[in-house]
Amino acid sequence: MITARLRASLIHRLSLTIWGLFLVLLLLLALLAYAALWLGADRVVPPVLQKVVQLKAQANEGLLLQAEASARRLHGELLQRLDGADARAAEQRFAALFVRGGDGLWRLRPQLVDTQRAPTLYLHDGAQGLSASARLRAVASYELLREQGPALVPPFFSAYMDFVEDGLMVYARGIDWGANATAQASNAGYPTMQGADPGNNPGRELFWTPAYLDEQARTWMVSVIAPLDWQGRWVGTLGHDVSIASLIDSVAVRDDSQARQFIMNQQGRLIAHSDWSAQAGAAPPPHPAAAPDRALELLQQMVQGTGADSGAGRTPDGRQWVAWWRIRGPGWYQVLVLPQERVNGALRQGLLAVVGVGLLVLLPALWWLRRRVRRLLALPLRRLTQAVDELAQGQEPAPIRLARADELGRLANAFDTMAADLSQQRRWQMTHAQALQTEVDERRQVMQRLQQERARLLALLGAMHQGILFVDTDQHVSYCNAMFRELWAMPGGQAIVGLPMEQVLQACRGQLLAAARLDEQVCQSLAGEPAAAPLELELASGRILMLAIHRVHDTQNASMGHLWVCEDVTQQRQTAAQLITLAERDALTGLYNRHCFEQALERFFRESARHAQPAAVLFFDLDEFKYVNDRFGHGAGDMVLLRVATAVKALVREADLLSRLGGDEFAIFMPQATLHSAQLLAERVVRAVAQAALHIEGEGHTLRLTSSLGIAHFPTHAASAQELVAHADTAMYQAKHLGKNRWSIYRAESDRAQAMVTRMAWNERIDRALAGGLLRLHFQGVYHAQERRLAHLEALVRMVDEDNPEQLIAPGQFIGHAEKSGKILDIDRWVLRESIRLLAAHPRLPALALNISGRSLDDPDLPGFITEQLAAQGVAPERLLVELTETAAISDLGDAQRFIDALQRAGCTLCLDDFGTGFASFAYLKHLQARVLKIDGLFVRNLPREHDNQVFVRSIIEVAHGMGKLAVAEFVEDEQTLQLLQGMGVDMVQGYHLDKPRADHPGLHGDGRAGIAPA
């Protein structure tokens, strides 16, 4: 109805009339404009095309003429440098720049290769070697291209010089010509060399090569070449490469232009073509200057037929417009070809422009008419239609509210009333649906969270190292993780969940050595008794399981069943047993150690206070044992100790305690023993040691050592454990003074006299050594275990023998006397002063470690002395490492802690030496804040052959790392021990395998690998 009324309206008919008149006028205007454009095209197209091709040709001409000028300039400058070069200096420069490879090619030395700033070279050596002329040219061309190459590339692809000796010096940014060249690489067949040959170029003119493919650069090139003649003969060429790709860019046209541009030479062969740039990443045809096709021949005839360097015109067939311009230099032609169809397209575009202008005339009238129709009819209908669509889509449309009394106004008011009623009903339904959906969503979220929590719980239980079994109130299994199956060796395919608990218990009982304890624990848990302590169960396989049963309650405290937790503690129990063994036993001989020996004495004397009973202590060591270690090595010494321990162990009673106190010192504690029985055992021990022979393989020697043994009896010779041990030790030295290979009973009068004489003699020698400068420092390296790189040096004191100045006295001979007399305080200060002076004199030395005696811990002024010396010498405190023996530190823990705190405040690093000699070592770590732990060599010396030592060393390393400390292993005497320590993760190592103490250690001069033995 609305359409019919519109067709009958005056506005509609008037609009149709205006449209008809406008279209007729527009058609006439288009016909006239097209005829005018067609006639003017023949006058406009030629000059426009010629101007375009001129601009393109001049751009390329500038690059090519620049290349020619640059080649001439480089040619002249190179000849000037060659004529003025010093032959001897050139030979030296050649040797510094170039090196001959195994393939016979001379190249730039690898450390000098810089493709961004300098040229590269490959040059064949030749049958007679490289001539002096070639060496001079190589040096001169290198220096020339290194100075000027970066400024010439770009715009050129490269600058280079060819050698007639078959080689190339070239600067091309980012390309290493020498590294890419092989022994078969040659430039003899390149157009650059062929065109410069005197037979082909007798006038020695600069020339342009045809296009050719450079194999090493993998790109097409044209080159401008200046033949290089020197000293009356042809020696090579000098020139530039211009990439065909850069010329292709100069002839590139828009994809929608339909025009083609190219560069061709005077023979009609293509140099660059616009179509090549459209092949994304594709190379030009196999030879850009290949023989032209028929179309190119026609264009060549047209270009060269005029005899002019430039021109424009239409081809004879009238299908194309051609414009050309001659490029000076190589004499190439820049050609532009435009199809006639493209001109016709331009005419059509002009026609469309005329039509567009005509349309602009009608736009105001059309705009006014559209505005009237839109306001009176289109807008009200659009609002009504939009409201209907919104209502149909379930939305609440805005009221139309047309303030008009016509039919559209009444229709809009009726629609607003109907829409309000429908919206009210829809809001009520939506509210109810949202409430239901909210409840559903909340329940779904709760279920998802419960499922996620269940999945996380199952993953956690499945990943635990403990076996987990849950039994419900009906005594059926409701959950079992994989570890529970593995611990009780249950088949993986057997279904356990859902089985009665009695059936699972039956399977467990079959693997236990004592099932009654398990039944008792289960009965207690079922009876509701409080949870018992975890139960250790021993399996028939030898494994030990720890079982705990817990009752489980819900939030209302109602019983949900029982939770079984099982854990395999076999390894922990074995480790504890091994640690106890290491605490009581000597790692080498298996005898009781000093700690166990001292505990046995303490127990005996505590009991003897209530029940008086006699006892004896026998001390003995091996005579000349140090000679065995020095002559045959520590391995032979260890074999001797094992042989002696085995022989003596067979002689002692079951009640007696045979101990190795350290080194070659042994002790026998004989409770409830008379002096006579002790004498009898002493005689057997001395005789057995003398008869124990050891054959040294590879040396052809049989060792027979003797021993010196001392006897002290309680209560005859001592009233306490300390006196008994000291007197037995004194008696042993009395036996040595009597000639060795014998035993001696403690004699108090001999002890006092000899001790006094010895002490006075050593005190005088130490005084003379301090006053006369007879103390010396030797150094042994401490190395990072993984890299075998020097970490620091340890300073070791020696004394010069007054009677034999070439002989040095080991510290073991005079340190003990110095500690007893107090002279050790002066020695410690001398070592500190000399070490700090050496640190100042050798700044490249990382750090220096030194040992401090336990007596020095009582000196409150020593930390201040160290601080003053460091400040006076200007040495950083962290370069000084102070080592304290574990025994000295724990003997007076308070003084040791105060000493350590003072040094740490000063900035020095503290190291705990001989760590592990006592089982209580770990307990003292939290009190002694040392930064470094040095593992006692007793545990390291036979590490590959002693499993117990491996366990103990690994434990020390792990404890040290866990407490943020560094672990050092000393006495590393072979490669096998070093590799084993590396696998354990030790931080640093020290020992004869790495280097031996020496006064002139290379580490003093900064040699980080000084003395390292080959791996």
Side-chain angles (χ1 to χ4, degrees):
M1 178 178 180
I2 295 175
T3 303
R5 292 186 62 180
L6 284 174
R7 289 177 180 175
S9 67
L10 180 60
I11 295 176
H12 182 65
R13 284 181 289 168
L14 183 58
S15 297
L16 291 178
T17 303
I18 294 173
W19 268 105
L21 181 59
F22 175 76
L23 290 176
V24 170
L25 293 175
L26 189 61
L27 180 60
L28 292 175
L29 180 62
L31 292 175
L32 292 174
Y34 187 77
L37 290 174
W38 177 265
L39 294 176
D42 289 345
R43 295 180 177 273
V44 174
V45 171
V48 171
L49 293 181
Q50 189 165 0
K51 188 63 176 177
V52 171
V53 78
Q54 177 187 357
L55 295 176
K56 291 283 188 177
Q58 289 176 346
N60 288 329
E61 184 178 278
L63 174 64
L64 300 177
L65 290 177
Q66 182 184 355
E68 289 184 357
S70 177
R72 289 189 179 93
R73 180 180 54 79
L74 291 175
H75 177 272
E77 188 165 344
L78 179 60
L79 286 177
Q80 184 178 358
R81 292 191 181 198
L82 289 175
D83 292 336
D86 183 347
R88 183 174 180 181
E91 284 291 337
Q92 295 176 353
R93 181 62 172 161
F94 182 87
L97 288 175
F98 307 109
V99 64
R100 183 178 179 270
D103 56 0
L105 292 184
W106 287 90
R107 296 183 177 88
L108 193 63
R109 292 185 179 273
Q111 65 269 25
L112 300 179
V113 173
D114 183 357
T115 59
Q116 298 296 325
R117 299 181 179 87
T120 57
L121 168 77
Y122 76 87
L123 183 58
H124 288 268
D125 193 38
Q128 303 300 323
L130 203 60
S131 66
S133 171
R135 293 173 183 266
L136 178 58
R137 280 179 276 126
V139 171
S141 61
Y142 174 83
E143 299 295 349
L144 178 62
L145 295 182
R146 180 177 63 83
E147 295 170 2
Q148 302 189 19
L152 299 174
V153 179
F156 310 125
F157 183 82
S158 66
Y160 60 90
M161 188 194 87
D162 283 302
F163 291 80
V164 295
E165 290 85 356
D166 202 359
L168 183 64
M169 176 75 71
V170 57
Y171 174 80
R173 193 182 304 275
I175 301 178
D176 187 350
W177 238 267
N180 295 334
T182 64
Q184 291 75 32
S186 174
N187 63 340
Y190 276 22
T192 57
M193 294 296 290
Q194 294 176 351
D197 189 287
N200 299 327
N201 189 354
R204 318 311 286 154
E205 298 292 338
L206 184 140
F207 66 94
W208 284 88
T209 68
Y212 63 94
L213 176 64
D214 191 299
E215 295 293 344
Q216 292 200 48
R218 294 188 292 277
T219 186
W220 290 94
M221 304 281 192
V222 290
S223 303
V224 57
I225 301 300
L228 182 62
D229 296 335
W230 184 55
Q231 294 182 345
R233 67 185 187 90
W234 177 44
V235 296
T237 67
L238 195 67
H240 290 294
D241 285 336
V242 178
S243 172
I244 292 295
S246 63
L247 299 178
I248 292 175
D249 293 340
S250 72
V251 298
V253 296
R254 297 199 314 265
D255 293 339
D256 59 348
S257 68
Q258 299 181 8
R260 291 187 301 160
Q261 291 195 51
F262 53 88
I263 300 173
M264 68 179 183
N265 60 16
Q266 296 174 353
Q267 290 76 33
R269 291 185 171 88
L270 289 180
I271 301 300
H273 197 289
S274 58
D275 290 345
W276 296 343
S277 63
Q279 305 172 15
H287 196 303
D293 57 20
R294 180 59 182 167
L296 288 177
E297 291 181 357
L298 293 176
L299 291 175
Q300 180 191 10
Q301 294 173 3
M302 181 176 179
V303 170
Q304 296 181 349
T306 62
D309 290 342
S310 62
R314 187 181 293 166
T315 58
D317 58 6
R319 299 173 59 184
Q320 294 179 326
W321 287 91
V322 179
W324 68 92
W325 195 276
R326 185 180 179 90
I327 301 174
R328 290 183 301 163
W332 298 336
Y333 288 97
Q334 183 96 20
V335 182
L336 173 62
V337 179
L338 182 67
Q340 179 64 41
E341 181 59 30
R342 182 67 182 90
V343 177
N344 296 339
L347 295 177
R348 287 191 291 271
Q349 292 176 359
L351 179 61
L352 291 176
V354 173
V355 174
V357 173
L359 288 173
L360 291 177
V361 177
L362 186 59
L363 284 178
L366 291 177
W367 175 82
W368 180 81
L369 179 61
R370 180 177 177 276
R371 185 175 181 83
R372 291 292 295 170
V373 172
R374 180 174 179 271
R375 188 174 67 82
L376 295 175
L377 186 61
L379 285 179
L381 286 177
R382 183 181 301 168
R383 291 175 60 189
L384 182 60
T385 302
Q386 183 178 359
V388 171
D389 292 340
E390 290 175 355
L391 189 62
Q393 294 173 3
Q395 302 176 7
E396 184 175 353
I400 300 175
R401 293 194 182 99
L402 284 180
R404 292 165 54 179
D406 56 11
E407 292 84 353
L408 286 177
R410 291 196 299 272
L411 179 60
N413 293 335
F415 179 82
D416 287 344
T417 302
M418 178 187 68
D421 294 340
L422 291 175
S423 297
Q424 182 64 31
Q425 295 179 7
R426 187 171 292 161
R427 280 194 295 272
W428 180 84
Q429 294 174 354
M430 185 63 67
T431 302
H432 183 64
Q434 288 178 348
L436 291 176
Q437 185 62 40
T438 300
E439 183 177 357
V440 172
D441 291 343
E442 290 176 352
R443 293 187 179 184
R444 183 182 294 111
Q445 292 175 0
V446 170
M447 290 300 297
Q448 288 177 350
R449 285 196 296 270
L450 290 175
Q451 290 175 356
Q452 292 172 356
E453 290 297 330
R454 183 176 183 276
R456 283 193 287 269
L457 179 59
L458 292 177
L460 175 63
L461 294 175
M464 291 177 65
H465 294 293
Q466 291 83 15
I468 304 296
L469 184 77
F470 186 80
V471 183
D472 60 20
T473 54
D474 296 330
Q475 297 304 307
H476 284 75
V477 177
S478 60
Y479 175 77
C480 173
N481 70 353
M483 183 54 68
F484 188 90
R485 291 174 176 270
E486 181 179 342
L487 293 177
W488 292 99
M490 295 181 178
Q494 178 182 358
I496 296 180
V497 176
L499 292 179
M501 188 58 203
E502 181 59 32
Q503 185 174 345
V504 177
L505 285 174
Q506 188 62 31
C508 296
R509 292 189 189 101
Q511 302 184 48
L512 295 174
L513 293 180
R517 300 179 63 198
L518 174 62
D519 294 337
E520 181 180 352
Q521 186 89 338
V522 172
C523 291
Q524 290 180 1
S525 64
L526 292 177
E529 297 181 10
L535 177 66
E536 280 195 9
L537 301 173
E538 187 173 357
L539 275 61
S541 62
R543 293 185 296 117
I544 300 176
L545 299 183
M546 183 74 73
L547 172 66
I549 302 178
H550 307 276
R551 295 180 63 84
V552 182
H553 300 83
D554 60 13
T555 55
Q556 283 76 35
N557 203 31
S559 177
M560 297 175 59
H562 293 82
L563 179 67
W564 287 39
V565 181
C566 291
E567 183 178 4
D568 190 338
V569 295
T570 307
Q571 184 65 35
Q572 292 92 315
R573 298 297 180 266
Q574 292 175 349
T575 302
Q578 289 176 341
L579 290 176
I580 293 174
T581 300
L582 289 173
E584 295 182 347
R585 296 284 181 171
D586 174 57
L588 174 63
T589 63
L591 301 179
Y592 290 103
N593 59 16
R594 179 186 293 274
H595 176 72
C596 186
F597 173 77
E598 293 173 349
Q599 285 185 332
L601 279 178
E602 291 176 1
R603 286 195 301 269
F604 172 80
F605 276 92
R606 283 197 303 268
E607 294 174 359
S608 67
R610 298 190 300 269
H611 308 289
Q613 50 185 346
V617 170
L618 282 66
F619 260 43
F620 68 94
D621 67 3
L622 303 180
D623 301 328
E624 308 302 334
F625 181 73
K626 183 178 183 300
Y627 169 77
V628 176
N629 273 339
D630 294 342
R631 173 64 178 84
F632 303 103
H634 291 290
D638 293 344
M639 293 298 295
V640 169
L641 294 175
L642 284 171
R643 188 67 176 269
V644 170
T646 303
V648 176
K649 188 175 182 180
L651 303 177
V652 300
R653 303 175 303 175
E654 185 176 353
D656 298 340
L657 189 144
L658 173 62
S659 304
R660 180 190 175 205
L661 303 183
D664 62 329
E665 293 184 350
F666 296 84
I668 303 174
F669 173 54
M670 301 176 63
Q672 300 179 356
T674 64
L675 181 59
H676 178 68
S677 62
Q679 291 173 330
L680 293 177
L681 179 58
E683 179 64 30
R684 291 198 301 270
V685 169
V686 171
R687 188 184 306 114
V689 172
Q691 294 174 353
L694 177 65
H695 179 71
I696 305 298
E697 296 183 3
E699 296 284 342
H701 294 281
T702 299
L703 295 180
R704 291 184 180 275
L705 297 183
T706 60
S707 63
S708 298
L709 186 147
I711 304 172
H713 186 262
F714 172 79
T716 306
H717 300 136
S720 65
Q722 292 77 11
E723 284 187 359
L724 189 62
V725 171
H727 292 168
D729 182 62
T730 301
M732 179 183 71
Y733 281 101
Q734 290 172 352
K736 286 186 180 294
H737 290 308
L738 293 175
K740 304 180 181 178
N741 192 21
R742 65 183 65 238
W743 56 269
S744 175
I745 300 175
Y746 172 71
R747 298 192 302 276
E749 66 281 359
S750 176
D751 179 20
R752 289 191 293 270
Q754 183 64 34
M756 180 63 68
V757 171
T758 303
R759 187 162 53 250
M760 292 178 64
W762 273 110
N763 286 347
E764 292 177 0
R765 292 188 68 177
I766 293 172
D767 284 338
R768 289 195 300 272
L770 288 169
L774 298 181
L775 295 181
R776 300 288 186 269
L777 286 183
H778 282 206
F779 306 92
Q780 186 176 25
V782 180
Y783 295 87
H784 294 288
Q786 302 301 328
E787 302 89 351
R788 305 193 185 192
R789 177 172 49 83
L790 182 67
H792 61 270
L793 296 179
E794 181 177 2
L796 306 171
V797 67
R798 302 288 189 266
M799 181 187 291
V800 177
D801 192 342
E802 295 174 306
D803 300 329
N804 183 9
E806 301 297 326
Q807 182 72 27
L808 293 178
I809 302 174
Q813 299 183 42
F814 62 87
I815 290 297
H817 299 288
E819 289 183 338
K820 291 179 181 179
S821 64
K823 299 294 183 182
I824 191 65
L825 300 178
D826 297 328
I827 294 177
D828 281 349
R829 294 207 175 206
W830 181 89
V831 172
L832 280 166
R833 187 163 48 247
E834 187 67 14
S835 299
I836 295 174
R837 185 190 65 78
L838 285 172
L839 283 172
H842 298 87
R844 297 179 61 187
L845 176 63
L848 189 62
L850 51 88
N851 291 277
I852 293 295
S853 169
R855 291 286 298 271
S856 294
L857 298 180
D858 302 330
D859 184 359
D861 298 329
L862 186 58
F865 172 78
I866 295 174
T867 304
E868 292 174 0
Q869 290 294 317
L870 290 171
Q873 296 289 349
V875 175
E878 59 269 15
R879 295 179 63 202
L880 183 67
L881 282 74
V882 179
E883 294 188 1
L884 304 176
T885 63
E886 177 190 357
T887 304
I890 64 178
S891 63
D892 191 340
L893 197 59
D895 287 342
Q897 187 59 55
R898 285 190 292 272
F899 183 81
I900 291 173
D901 290 343
L903 286 187
Q904 285 183 337
R905 286 193 298 271
C908 298
T909 302
L910 272 296
C911 173
L912 200 58
D913 197 7
D914 296 336
F915 185 79
T917 54
F919 184 61
S921 301
F922 294 125
Y924 292 114
L925 283 180
K926 63 181 179 181
H927 302 294
L928 302 174
Q929 299 299 319
R931 180 74 179 89
V932 182
L933 303 183
K934 181 176 284 190
I935 304 169
D936 190 82
L938 175 68
F939 304 106
V940 179
R941 181 175 293 163
N942 294 304
L943 191 63
R945 297 179 292 277
E946 296 290 344
H947 177 70
D948 291 344
N949 285 4
Q950 295 176 19
V951 174
F952 197 66
V953 170
R954 184 178 287 107
S955 301
I956 292 177
I957 295 172
E958 291 177 355
V959 168
H961 290 172
M963 300 181 72
K965 305 178 186 299
L966 300 176
V968 181
E970 57 183 354
F971 282 88
V972 178
E973 299 181 349
D974 52 61
E975 180 66 21
Q976 187 178 4
T977 302
L978 177 58
Q979 293 181 1
L980 192 58
L981 288 168
Q982 288 174 335
M984 293 180 180
V986 74
D987 300 289
M988 290 174 278
V989 290
Q990 178 182 7
Y992 278 16
H993 178 62
L994 302 170
D995 64 12
K996 296 182 180 180
R998 50 192 293 191
D1000 56 341
H1001 198 286
L1004 293 172
H1005 310 291
D1007 187 352
R1009 294 187 57 85
I1012 280 287

